[in-house]
Amino acid sequence: MADPKKLFIKTYGCQMNVYDSERMAEAMGADGYVLTEAAEDADMVLINTCHIREKASEKLFSDLGRLKPLKQAKPGLKIGVAGCVAQAEGDEILRRMPLVDLVVGPQAYHRLPEMARSTGQQVDTDFPVEMKFDRLPERKTHRGPTAFLTVQEGCDKFCAFCVVPYTRGAEVSRPVDRILTEARGLVERGVRDITLLGQNVNAYHGAGQNGDYGLARLLREMAGIDGLERLRYTTSHPNDMDDDLIAAHGDLPQLMPYLHLPVQSGSDRILKAMNRKHSAADYLHLVERIRAARPDILLSSDFIVGFPGETDEDHAATLDLIRAVGFGAAFSFKYSARPGTPAAEKPELPEDITNARLYELQALVTSQQRAAQEAMVGREVGVLYEKPGRTAGQMVGKSDHLHAVHVDDPTGKVGELVRVRISAAVTNSLAGERLN
Ligand code: SAH
Ligand code: SF4
Ligand code: F3S
């Protein structure tokens, strides 16, 4: 038998790209490819790209530059570009970078094996009627106790700064039975913790046997899967946190006490200019209701600093909101003008102002993150072991609240869900002792 062909995949961007890369690897696996960790050994290199900020999309072109000598040494090497830059730039990529053989948009991944078999340059950035997931081969290869599962794709929100509605297209939800089948298959292969994914996951509305399901109803079905101990979902929009979903945080023990709920800004003026369609007070009220349902929930968020027109007062309002909520984690980004979005037409702020605001905001969220970690000391939490730690006899896993936890446990095994008493908070992680 001939040696299998080798595929190297580099993934940028959000968790949905991580999930897509797994599915593409499986689709190519059905066509005889195995994954390799080294681009130098590969017969095909696939770059799964992100277009969200300028810096993210520039990575594609620096990666392609580095691949030039490889392609010269091995002319048969196939180079593919997938993801949101592929969608946004399409055949422009082939013009700028003739070494690329194929460009495949996020909704066309089921066509990847066929494109890789063809000769000549290939582009597919269609948004087909049928969802790619219905045409990709079934999942077979998942390893490890945690998994992502995409249930919804695309976005209809059109925030003024964001490329996602253009690169991923309109909102589509996968049918309930497909999701449950995939989840059961993952659990059979040892998965105990599933994160449901969608660009707007809480806008999920999939067809089920008994009508239309929202995300809460889907989570309730998933909680019935034997052996599936933990559920999470990301990313949510504040306006789609309905009563049923909030209630699920109170009554579903499998639903973990961590919620990523991006707010972007604490200024009503900026929220309006961003087209977020809610006020800072709406967000604070929502947080109150979520905490009433699940008092120990840890909240995280995304912030954009330096949106066009942002004043010192607007920035101060964002800091006020952060102080009022107390986040357990937060991601903050300098505004990046993206081609084709409405905000890109507005004048940008001077960079030194944006840098100073980002610095101030990050200092505040870092102090909140530390406080949240320190508040865990002495508490008992669940930890799902994901891998051995760096020191011998140590295991590392995630707590219910998604903190990384190191545990001295020489007999511990990957995939075990154990009770741990947190003993110390160290930079970016916790340490604890196993109780059972
Ligand atoms: N669907 C999610 C997030 C998608 S993108 C939501 O609605 O919040 C992830 C994060 O990237 C966003 O929350 C936002 O904070 C950031 N982001 C998106 N576009 C950006 C831009 N043009 N400049 C800087 N940050 C951006
Ligand atoms: Fe982008 Fe999220 Fe807004 Fe959709 S809801 S446009 S994905 S930031
Ligand atoms: Fe990036 Fe596309 Fe995800 S732009 S953040 S890879 S949806």
PDB file of all heavy atoms in Angstrom, residues 66-102:
ATOM      1  N   ARG A  66       6.433  32.317   3.822  1.00  0.00           N
ATOM      2  CA  ARG A  66       7.330  31.279   4.365  1.00  0.00           C
ATOM      3  C   ARG A  66       7.196  29.953   3.630  1.00  0.00           C
ATOM      4  O   ARG A  66       8.107  29.130   3.649  1.00  0.00           O
ATOM      5  CB  ARG A  66       7.041  31.079   5.854  1.00  0.00           C
ATOM      6  CG  ARG A  66       7.787  32.071   6.742  1.00  0.00           C
ATOM      7  CD  ARG A  66       7.823  31.585   8.176  1.00  0.00           C
ATOM      8  NE  ARG A  66       6.476  31.552   8.739  1.00  0.00           N
ATOM      9  CZ  ARG A  66       5.899  32.595   9.341  1.00  0.00           C
ATOM     10  NH1 ARG A  66       6.560  33.707   9.494  1.00  0.00           N
ATOM     11  NH2 ARG A  66       4.671  32.509   9.797  1.00  0.00           N
ATOM     12  N   LEU A  67       6.037  29.744   2.996  1.00  0.00           N
ATOM     13  CA  LEU A  67       5.835  28.471   2.288  1.00  0.00           C
ATOM     14  C   LEU A  67       6.497  28.448   0.906  1.00  0.00           C
ATOM     15  O   LEU A  67       6.659  27.382   0.308  1.00  0.00           O
ATOM     16  CB  LEU A  67       4.341  28.183   2.135  1.00  0.00           C
ATOM     17  CG  LEU A  67       3.614  27.750   3.411  1.00  0.00           C
ATOM     18  CD1 LEU A  67       2.108  27.672   3.162  1.00  0.00           C
ATOM     19  CD2 LEU A  67       4.127  26.388   3.900  1.00  0.00           C
ATOM     20  N   LYS A  68       6.882  29.623   0.409  1.00  0.00           N
ATOM     21  CA  LYS A  68       7.457  29.708  -0.949  1.00  0.00           C
ATOM     22  C   LYS A  68       8.605  28.733  -1.183  1.00  0.00           C
ATOM     23  O   LYS A  68       8.572  27.963  -2.145  1.00  0.00           O
ATOM     24  CB  LYS A  68       7.906  31.137  -1.239  1.00  0.00           C
ATOM     25  CG  LYS A  68       6.958  31.850  -2.177  1.00  0.00           C
ATOM     26  CD  LYS A  68       7.470  33.222  -2.548  1.00  0.00           C
ATOM     27  CE  LYS A  68       6.288  34.076  -2.965  1.00  0.00           C
ATOM     28  NZ  LYS A  68       6.547  35.494  -2.865  1.00  0.00           N
ATOM     29  N   PRO A  69       9.639  28.750  -0.315  1.00  0.00           N
ATOM     30  CA  PRO A  69      10.752  27.808  -0.560  1.00  0.00           C
ATOM     31  C   PRO A  69      10.307  26.345  -0.517  1.00  0.00           C
ATOM     32  O   PRO A  69      10.822  25.519  -1.280  1.00  0.00           O
ATOM     33  CB  PRO A  69      11.742  28.102   0.582  1.00  0.00           C
ATOM     34  CG  PRO A  69      11.104  29.083   1.478  1.00  0.00           C
ATOM     35  CD  PRO A  69       9.923  29.659   0.799  1.00  0.00           C
ATOM     36  N   LEU A  70       9.338  26.034   0.335  1.00  0.00           N
ATOM     37  CA  LEU A  70       8.839  24.649   0.406  1.00  0.00           C
ATOM     38  C   LEU A  70       8.220  24.233  -0.915  1.00  0.00           C
ATOM     39  O   LEU A  70       8.455  23.129  -1.418  1.00  0.00           O
ATOM     40  CB  LEU A  70       7.758  24.534   1.474  1.00  0.00           C
ATOM     41  CG  LEU A  70       8.147  24.172   2.902  1.00  0.00           C
ATOM     42  CD1 LEU A  70       6.891  23.891   3.726  1.00  0.00           C
ATOM     43  CD2 LEU A  70       9.030  22.923   2.895  1.00  0.00           C
ATOM     44  N   LYS A  71       7.424  25.120  -1.467  1.00  0.00           N
ATOM     45  CA  LYS A  71       6.747  24.814  -2.737  1.00  0.00           C
ATOM     46  C   LYS A  71       7.770  24.713  -3.870  1.00  0.00           C
ATOM     47  O   LYS A  71       7.630  23.876  -4.766  1.00  0.00           O
ATOM     48  CB  LYS A  71       5.717  25.912  -3.023  1.00  0.00           C
ATOM     49  CG  LYS A  71       4.971  25.763  -4.315  1.00  0.00           C
ATOM     50  CD  LYS A  71       3.614  25.131  -4.119  1.00  0.00           C
ATOM     51  CE  LYS A  71       2.791  25.184  -5.395  1.00  0.00           C
ATOM     52  NZ  LYS A  71       1.438  24.696  -5.200  1.00  0.00           N
ATOM     53  N   GLN A  72       8.820  25.559  -3.798  1.00  0.00           N
ATOM     54  CA  GLN A  72       9.849  25.480  -4.840  1.00  0.00           C
ATOM     55  C   GLN A  72      10.566  24.136  -4.792  1.00  0.00           C
ATOM     56  O   GLN A  72      10.831  23.504  -5.815  1.00  0.00           O
ATOM     57  CB  GLN A  72      10.858  26.623  -4.687  1.00  0.00           C
ATOM     58  CG  GLN A  72      10.431  27.856  -5.449  1.00  0.00           C
ATOM     59  CD  GLN A  72      11.037  29.135  -4.894  1.00  0.00           C
ATOM     60  OE1 GLN A  72      11.846  29.104  -3.970  1.00  0.00           O
ATOM     61  NE2 GLN A  72      10.637  30.263  -5.455  1.00  0.00           N
ATOM     62  N   ALA A  73      10.827  23.664  -3.561  1.00  0.00           N
ATOM     63  CA  ALA A  73      11.540  22.395  -3.400  1.00  0.00           C
ATOM     64  C   ALA A  73      10.644  21.208  -3.747  1.00  0.00           C
ATOM     65  O   ALA A  73      11.126  20.139  -4.107  1.00  0.00           O
ATOM     66  CB  ALA A  73      12.046  22.275  -1.969  1.00  0.00           C
ATOM     67  N   LYS A  74       9.345  21.383  -3.625  1.00  0.00           N
ATOM     68  CA  LYS A  74       8.406  20.275  -3.820  1.00  0.00           C
ATOM     69  C   LYS A  74       7.213  20.795  -4.613  1.00  0.00           C
ATOM     70  O   LYS A  74       6.168  21.131  -4.056  1.00  0.00           O
ATOM     71  CB  LYS A  74       7.955  19.839  -2.417  1.00  0.00           C
ATOM     72  CG  LYS A  74       7.333  18.475  -2.305  1.00  0.00           C
ATOM     73  CD  LYS A  74       6.800  18.351  -0.874  1.00  0.00           C
ATOM     74  CE  LYS A  74       6.846  17.002  -0.299  1.00  0.00           C
ATOM     75  NZ  LYS A  74       6.337  16.925   1.057  1.00  0.00           N
ATOM     76  N   PRO A  75       7.349  20.878  -5.924  1.00  0.00           N
ATOM     77  CA  PRO A  75       6.307  21.531  -6.733  1.00  0.00           C
ATOM     78  C   PRO A  75       4.938  20.859  -6.609  1.00  0.00           C
ATOM     79  O   PRO A  75       3.916  21.493  -6.855  1.00  0.00           O
ATOM     80  CB  PRO A  75       6.852  21.429  -8.161  1.00  0.00           C
ATOM     81  CG  PRO A  75       8.316  21.138  -8.016  1.00  0.00           C
ATOM     82  CD  PRO A  75       8.496  20.418  -6.716  1.00  0.00           C
ATOM     83  N   GLY A  76       4.892  19.580  -6.206  1.00  0.00           N
ATOM     84  CA  GLY A  76       3.608  18.890  -6.061  1.00  0.00           C
ATOM     85  C   GLY A  76       2.843  19.293  -4.811  1.00  0.00           C
ATOM     86  O   GLY A  76       1.688  18.898  -4.619  1.00  0.00           O
ATOM     87  N   LEU A  77       3.488  20.064  -3.935  1.00  0.00           N
ATOM     88  CA  LEU A  77       2.842  20.470  -2.684  1.00  0.00           C
ATOM     89  C   LEU A  77       1.589  21.300  -2.975  1.00  0.00           C
ATOM     90  O   LEU A  77       1.650  22.274  -3.715  1.00  0.00           O
ATOM     91  CB  LEU A  77       3.829  21.315  -1.852  1.00  0.00           C
ATOM     92  CG  LEU A  77       3.305  21.953  -0.567  1.00  0.00           C
ATOM     93  CD1 LEU A  77       2.993  20.896   0.486  1.00  0.00           C
ATOM     94  CD2 LEU A  77       4.303  22.970  -0.014  1.00  0.00           C
ATOM     95  N   LYS A  78       0.466  20.883  -2.385  1.00  0.00           N
ATOM     96  CA  LYS A  78      -0.783  21.647  -2.555  1.00  0.00           C
ATOM     97  C   LYS A  78      -0.885  22.648  -1.429  1.00  0.00           C
ATOM     98  O   LYS A  78      -0.674  22.297  -0.261  1.00  0.00           O
ATOM     99  CB  LYS A  78      -1.992  20.720  -2.441  1.00  0.00           C
ATOM    100  CG  LYS A  78      -2.192  19.839  -3.622  1.00  0.00           C
ATOM    101  CD  LYS A  78      -3.455  20.231  -4.378  1.00  0.00           C
ATOM    102  CE  LYS A  78      -3.606  19.336  -5.592  1.00  0.00           C
ATOM    103  NZ  LYS A  78      -4.145  20.017  -6.747  1.00  0.00           N
ATOM    104  N   ILE A  79      -1.244  23.889  -1.764  1.00  0.00           N
ATOM    105  CA  ILE A  79      -1.440  24.893  -0.722  1.00  0.00           C
ATOM    106  C   ILE A  79      -2.874  25.403  -0.799  1.00  0.00           C
ATOM    107  O   ILE A  79      -3.321  25.860  -1.851  1.00  0.00           O
ATOM    108  CB  ILE A  79      -0.420  26.041  -0.849  1.00  0.00           C
ATOM    109  CG1 ILE A  79       0.998  25.465  -0.654  1.00  0.00           C
ATOM    110  CG2 ILE A  79      -0.710  27.141   0.180  1.00  0.00           C
ATOM    111  CD1 ILE A  79       2.108  26.472  -0.700  1.00  0.00           C
ATOM    112  N   GLY A  80      -3.580  25.273   0.328  1.00  0.00           N
ATOM    113  CA  GLY A  80      -4.978  25.692   0.364  1.00  0.00           C
ATOM    114  C   GLY A  80      -5.201  26.779   1.398  1.00  0.00           C
ATOM    115  O   GLY A  80      -4.555  26.797   2.445  1.00  0.00           O
ATOM    116  N   VAL A  81      -6.117  27.682   1.089  1.00  0.00           N
ATOM    117  CA  VAL A  81      -6.491  28.729   2.043  1.00  0.00           C
ATOM    118  C   VAL A  81      -7.980  28.572   2.336  1.00  0.00           C
ATOM    119  O   VAL A  81      -8.807  28.567   1.419  1.00  0.00           O
ATOM    120  CB  VAL A  81      -6.208  30.133   1.470  1.00  0.00           C
ATOM    121  CG1 VAL A  81      -6.656  31.208   2.460  1.00  0.00           C
ATOM    122  CG2 VAL A  81      -4.722  30.294   1.152  1.00  0.00           C
ATOM    123  N   ALA A  82      -8.301  28.416   3.627  1.00  0.00           N
ATOM    124  CA  ALA A  82      -9.692  28.271   4.050  1.00  0.00           C
ATOM    125  C   ALA A  82     -10.027  29.415   5.002  1.00  0.00           C
ATOM    126  O   ALA A  82      -9.197  30.271   5.275  1.00  0.00           O
ATOM    127  CB  ALA A  82      -9.870  26.921   4.744  1.00  0.00           C
ATOM    128  N   GLY A  83     -11.249  29.435   5.507  1.00  0.00           N
ATOM    129  CA  GLY A  83     -11.605  30.400   6.549  1.00  0.00           C
ATOM    130  C   GLY A  83     -12.081  31.742   6.023  1.00  0.00           C
ATOM    131  O   GLY A  83     -12.404  31.912   4.843  1.00  0.00           O
ATOM    132  N   CYS A  84     -12.102  32.697   6.939  1.00  0.00           N
ATOM    133  CA  CYS A  84     -12.787  33.960   6.658  1.00  0.00           C
ATOM    134  C   CYS A  84     -12.025  34.877   5.714  1.00  0.00           C
ATOM    135  O   CYS A  84     -12.641  35.682   5.018  1.00  0.00           O
ATOM    136  CB  CYS A  84     -13.143  34.654   7.966  1.00  0.00           C
ATOM    137  SG  CYS A  84     -14.450  33.759   8.859  1.00  0.00           S
ATOM    138  N   VAL A  85     -10.689  34.776   5.648  1.00  0.00           N
ATOM    139  CA  VAL A  85      -9.964  35.571   4.649  1.00  0.00           C
ATOM    140  C   VAL A  85     -10.253  34.991   3.263  1.00  0.00           C
ATOM    141  O   VAL A  85     -10.436  35.728   2.283  1.00  0.00           O
ATOM    142  CB  VAL A  85      -8.442  35.610   4.922  1.00  0.00           C
ATOM    143  CG1 VAL A  85      -7.729  36.439   3.858  1.00  0.00           C
ATOM    144  CG2 VAL A  85      -8.150  36.172   6.307  1.00  0.00           C
ATOM    145  N   ALA A  86     -10.323  33.664   3.184  1.00  0.00           N
ATOM    146  CA  ALA A  86     -10.654  33.005   1.916  1.00  0.00           C
ATOM    147  C   ALA A  86     -12.002  33.522   1.416  1.00  0.00           C
ATOM    148  O   ALA A  86     -12.162  33.854   0.238  1.00  0.00           O
ATOM    149  CB  ALA A  86     -10.702  31.493   2.099  1.00  0.00           C
ATOM    150  N   GLN A  87     -12.968  33.609   2.340  1.00  0.00           N
ATOM    151  CA  GLN A  87     -14.294  34.079   1.952  1.00  0.00           C
ATOM    152  C   GLN A  87     -14.254  35.541   1.513  1.00  0.00           C
ATOM    153  O   GLN A  87     -14.867  35.926   0.527  1.00  0.00           O
ATOM    154  CB  GLN A  87     -15.270  33.918   3.130  1.00  0.00           C
ATOM    155  CG  GLN A  87     -16.708  34.194   2.768  1.00  0.00           C
ATOM    156  CD  GLN A  87     -17.237  33.209   1.748  1.00  0.00           C
ATOM    157  OE1 GLN A  87     -16.981  32.007   1.831  1.00  0.00           O
ATOM    158  NE2 GLN A  87     -17.943  33.701   0.747  1.00  0.00           N
ATOM    159  N   ALA A  88     -13.530  36.360   2.282  1.00  0.00           N
ATOM    160  CA  ALA A  88     -13.543  37.802   2.024  1.00  0.00           C
ATOM    161  C   ALA A  88     -12.763  38.161   0.761  1.00  0.00           C
ATOM    162  O   ALA A  88     -13.141  39.070   0.033  1.00  0.00           O
ATOM    163  CB  ALA A  88     -12.970  38.546   3.217  1.00  0.00           C
ATOM    164  N   GLU A  89     -11.665  37.460   0.506  1.00  0.00           N
ATOM    165  CA  GLU A  89     -10.803  37.891  -0.603  1.00  0.00           C
ATOM    166  C   GLU A  89     -10.892  36.998  -1.827  1.00  0.00           C
ATOM    167  O   GLU A  89     -10.474  37.403  -2.908  1.00  0.00           O
ATOM    168  CB  GLU A  89      -9.354  38.015  -0.109  1.00  0.00           C
ATOM    169  CG  GLU A  89      -9.305  38.930   1.117  1.00  0.00           C
ATOM    170  CD  GLU A  89      -8.014  39.676   1.286  1.00  0.00           C
ATOM    171  OE1 GLU A  89      -7.070  39.422   0.530  1.00  0.00           O
ATOM    172  OE2 GLU A  89      -7.969  40.526   2.195  1.00  0.00           O
ATOM    173  N   GLY A  90     -11.387  35.790  -1.680  1.00  0.00           N
ATOM    174  CA  GLY A  90     -11.626  34.894  -2.821  1.00  0.00           C
ATOM    175  C   GLY A  90     -10.451  34.792  -3.767  1.00  0.00           C
ATOM    176  O   GLY A  90      -9.307  34.590  -3.351  1.00  0.00           O
ATOM    177  N   ASP A  91     -10.728  34.963  -5.067  1.00  0.00           N
ATOM    178  CA  ASP A  91      -9.654  34.738  -6.051  1.00  0.00           C
ATOM    179  C   ASP A  91      -8.580  35.821  -6.052  1.00  0.00           C
ATOM    180  O   ASP A  91      -7.531  35.661  -6.668  1.00  0.00           O
ATOM    181  CB  ASP A  91     -10.196  34.461  -7.462  1.00  0.00           C
ATOM    182  CG  ASP A  91     -11.329  35.383  -7.832  1.00  0.00           C
ATOM    183  OD1 ASP A  91     -11.477  36.427  -7.161  1.00  0.00           O
ATOM    184  OD2 ASP A  91     -12.063  35.048  -8.787  1.00  0.00           O
ATOM    185  N   GLU A  92      -8.823  36.919  -5.320  1.00  0.00           N
ATOM    186  CA  GLU A  92      -7.784  37.927  -5.136  1.00  0.00           C
ATOM    187  C   GLU A  92      -6.535  37.281  -4.507  1.00  0.00           C
ATOM    188  O   GLU A  92      -5.397  37.669  -4.800  1.00  0.00           O
ATOM    189  CB  GLU A  92      -8.350  39.021  -4.213  1.00  0.00           C
ATOM    190  CG  GLU A  92      -7.483  40.241  -4.007  1.00  0.00           C
ATOM    191  CD  GLU A  92      -7.092  40.940  -5.300  1.00  0.00           C
ATOM    192  OE1 GLU A  92      -7.906  40.946  -6.241  1.00  0.00           O
ATOM    193  OE2 GLU A  92      -5.956  41.464  -5.355  1.00  0.00           O
ATOM    194  N   ILE A  93      -6.751  36.267  -3.659  1.00  0.00           N
ATOM    195  CA  ILE A  93      -5.629  35.560  -3.022  1.00  0.00           C
ATOM    196  C   ILE A  93      -4.779  34.868  -4.093  1.00  0.00           C
ATOM    197  O   ILE A  93      -3.549  34.915  -4.052  1.00  0.00           O
ATOM    198  CB  ILE A  93      -6.147  34.534  -1.977  1.00  0.00           C
ATOM    199  CG1 ILE A  93      -6.876  35.274  -0.848  1.00  0.00           C
ATOM    200  CG2 ILE A  93      -5.013  33.675  -1.419  1.00  0.00           C
ATOM    201  CD1 ILE A  93      -7.568  34.361   0.145  1.00  0.00           C
ATOM    202  N   LEU A  94      -5.451  34.256  -5.069  1.00  0.00           N
ATOM    203  CA  LEU A  94      -4.710  33.563  -6.137  1.00  0.00           C
ATOM    204  C   LEU A  94      -3.899  34.554  -6.963  1.00  0.00           C
ATOM    205  O   LEU A  94      -2.782  34.272  -7.382  1.00  0.00           O
ATOM    206  CB  LEU A  94      -5.670  32.807  -7.056  1.00  0.00           C
ATOM    207  CG  LEU A  94      -6.512  31.706  -6.412  1.00  0.00           C
ATOM    208  CD1 LEU A  94      -7.398  31.048  -7.461  1.00  0.00           C
ATOM    209  CD2 LEU A  94      -5.630  30.662  -5.757  1.00  0.00           C
ATOM    210  N   ARG A  95      -4.488  35.735  -7.162  1.00  0.00           N
ATOM    211  CA  ARG A  95      -3.770  36.753  -7.951  1.00  0.00           C
ATOM    212  C   ARG A  95      -2.539  37.249  -7.202  1.00  0.00           C
ATOM    213  O   ARG A  95      -1.470  37.373  -7.771  1.00  0.00           O
ATOM    214  CB  ARG A  95      -4.694  37.933  -8.261  1.00  0.00           C
ATOM    215  CG  ARG A  95      -5.356  37.802  -9.630  1.00  0.00           C
ATOM    216  CD  ARG A  95      -5.961  39.112 -10.090  1.00  0.00           C
ATOM    217  NE  ARG A  95      -7.112  39.492  -9.264  1.00  0.00           N
ATOM    218  CZ  ARG A  95      -8.332  39.012  -9.445  1.00  0.00           C
ATOM    219  NH1 ARG A  95      -8.565  38.146 -10.417  1.00  0.00           N
ATOM    220  NH2 ARG A  95      -9.314  39.389  -8.667  1.00  0.00           N
ATOM    221  N   ARG A  96      -2.723  37.502  -5.908  1.00  0.00           N
ATOM    222  CA  ARG A  96      -1.598  38.032  -5.121  1.00  0.00           C
ATOM    223  C   ARG A  96      -0.559  36.969  -4.837  1.00  0.00           C
ATOM    224  O   ARG A  96       0.621  37.253  -4.699  1.00  0.00           O
ATOM    225  CB  ARG A  96      -2.127  38.549  -3.774  1.00  0.00           C
ATOM    226  CG  ARG A  96      -2.278  40.047  -3.728  1.00  0.00           C
ATOM    227  CD  ARG A  96      -2.820  40.492  -2.398  1.00  0.00           C
ATOM    228  NE  ARG A  96      -1.790  40.644  -1.380  1.00  0.00           N
ATOM    229  CZ  ARG A  96      -2.048  41.042  -0.138  1.00  0.00           C
ATOM    230  NH1 ARG A  96      -3.276  41.310   0.226  1.00  0.00           N
ATOM    231  NH2 ARG A  96      -1.074  41.162   0.743  1.00  0.00           N
ATOM    232  N   MET A  97      -1.009  35.732  -4.673  1.00  0.00           N
ATOM    233  CA  MET A  97      -0.122  34.646  -4.261  1.00  0.00           C
ATOM    234  C   MET A  97      -0.310  33.447  -5.177  1.00  0.00           C
ATOM    235  O   MET A  97      -1.079  32.530  -4.863  1.00  0.00           O
ATOM    236  CB  MET A  97      -0.439  34.247  -2.803  1.00  0.00           C
ATOM    237  CG  MET A  97      -0.010  35.280  -1.787  1.00  0.00           C
ATOM    238  SD  MET A  97       1.790  35.198  -1.598  1.00  0.00           S
ATOM    239  CE  MET A  97       2.060  36.463  -0.386  1.00  0.00           C
ATOM    240  N   PRO A  98       0.366  33.435  -6.328  1.00  0.00           N
ATOM    241  CA  PRO A  98       0.136  32.351  -7.297  1.00  0.00           C
ATOM    242  C   PRO A  98       0.513  30.969  -6.774  1.00  0.00           C
ATOM    243  O   PRO A  98       0.129  29.967  -7.375  1.00  0.00           O
ATOM    244  CB  PRO A  98       1.033  32.747  -8.485  1.00  0.00           C
ATOM    245  CG  PRO A  98       1.529  34.119  -8.215  1.00  0.00           C
ATOM    246  CD  PRO A  98       1.346  34.428  -6.783  1.00  0.00           C
ATOM    247  N   LEU A  99       1.238  30.887  -5.650  1.00  0.00           N
ATOM    248  CA  LEU A  99       1.580  29.552  -5.136  1.00  0.00           C
ATOM    249  C   LEU A  99       0.381  28.847  -4.517  1.00  0.00           C
ATOM    250  O   LEU A  99       0.424  27.636  -4.267  1.00  0.00           O
ATOM    251  CB  LEU A  99       2.750  29.632  -4.135  1.00  0.00           C
ATOM    252  CG  LEU A  99       2.497  29.987  -2.680  1.00  0.00           C
ATOM    253  CD1 LEU A  99       3.717  29.645  -1.860  1.00  0.00           C
ATOM    254  CD2 LEU A  99       2.114  31.421  -2.487  1.00  0.00           C
ATOM    255  N   VAL A 100      -0.718  29.586  -4.303  1.00  0.00           N
ATOM    256  CA  VAL A 100      -1.911  28.971  -3.707  1.00  0.00           C
ATOM    257  C   VAL A 100      -2.654  28.148  -4.755  1.00  0.00           C
ATOM    258  O   VAL A 100      -2.865  28.610  -5.882  1.00  0.00           O
ATOM    259  CB  VAL A 100      -2.830  30.061  -3.113  1.00  0.00           C
ATOM    260  CG1 VAL A 100      -4.149  29.473  -2.639  1.00  0.00           C
ATOM    261  CG2 VAL A 100      -2.120  30.779  -1.968  1.00  0.00           C
ATOM    262  N   ASP A 101      -3.035  26.911  -4.397  1.00  0.00           N
ATOM    263  CA  ASP A 101      -3.754  26.048  -5.335  1.00  0.00           C
ATOM    264  C   ASP A 101      -5.261  26.143  -5.162  1.00  0.00           C
ATOM    265  O   ASP A 101      -6.006  25.977  -6.110  1.00  0.00           O
ATOM    266  CB  ASP A 101      -3.343  24.580  -5.127  1.00  0.00           C
ATOM    267  CG  ASP A 101      -1.872  24.380  -5.399  1.00  0.00           C
ATOM    268  OD1 ASP A 101      -1.511  24.402  -6.579  1.00  0.00           O
ATOM    269  OD2 ASP A 101      -1.091  24.259  -4.430  1.00  0.00           O
ATOM    270  N   LEU A 102      -5.698  26.319  -3.902  1.00  0.00           N
ATOM    271  CA  LEU A 102      -7.149  26.368  -3.727  1.00  0.00           C
ATOM    272  C   LEU A 102      -7.558  27.295  -2.597  1.00  0.00           C
ATOM    273  O   LEU A 102      -6.854  27.450  -1.602  1.00  0.00           O
ATOM    274  CB  LEU A 102      -7.719  24.960  -3.533  1.00  0.00           C
ATOM    275  CG  LEU A 102      -7.240  24.119  -2.367  1.00  0.00           C
ATOM    276  CD1 LEU A 102      -8.190  24.250  -1.199  1.00  0.00           C
ATOM    277  CD2 LEU A 102      -7.147  22.673  -2.804  1.00  0.00           C
TER     278      LEU A 102
END
